[in-house]
Amino acid sequence: MSVRSKMAVPLVLGAFLALGGCENLNDTQQRTLSGGAIGAGVGAVATLLTGGCVSCGAVVGGAIGAGAGYVSKKMEESD
């Protein structure tokens, strides 16, 4: 068994446990969390395809996505 396959089950279980605490979020928090998750995924894939640092791309993408989710919700509320 490779190291990746040994780590997959604990990582997936950890992700489910972490997301289980997200059920009582308001709309702004939910949008920020969603933006961050999508941004982290896109950042990781983009840096993987370009040969960069995958974890760095995930962090930067997550930060940009969370910021974009927060700002878009606040702009929606102001209308």
Side-chain angles (χ1 to χ4, degrees), residues 34-77:
S34 298
I38 293 168
V42 170
V45 169
T47 55
L48 180 68
L49 293 175
T50 60
C53 171
V54 176
S55 59
C56 299
V59 168
V60 171
I64 292 171
Y70 178 80
V71 168
S72 71
K73 182 60 182 172
K74 289 299 180 182
M75 288 177 63
E76 185 180 286
E77 289 175 356

Side-chain angles (χ1 to χ4, degrees), residues 2-72:
S2 71
V3 174
R4 283 188 183 181
S5 61
K6 288 181 183 179
M7 289 178 41
V9 173
L11 287 175
V12 170
L13 290 175
F16 281 128
L17 289 174
L19 291 175
C22 299
E23 76 180 67
N24 293 327
L25 299 178
N26 64 32
D27 289 340
T28 303
Q29 293 168 334
Q30 190 68 266
R31 183 82 59 99
T32 304
L33 179 67
S34 298
I38 293 168
V42 170
V45 169
T47 55
L48 180 68
L49 293 175
T50 60
C53 171
V54 176
S55 59
C56 299
V59 168
V60 171
I64 292 171
Y70 178 80
V71 168
S72 71

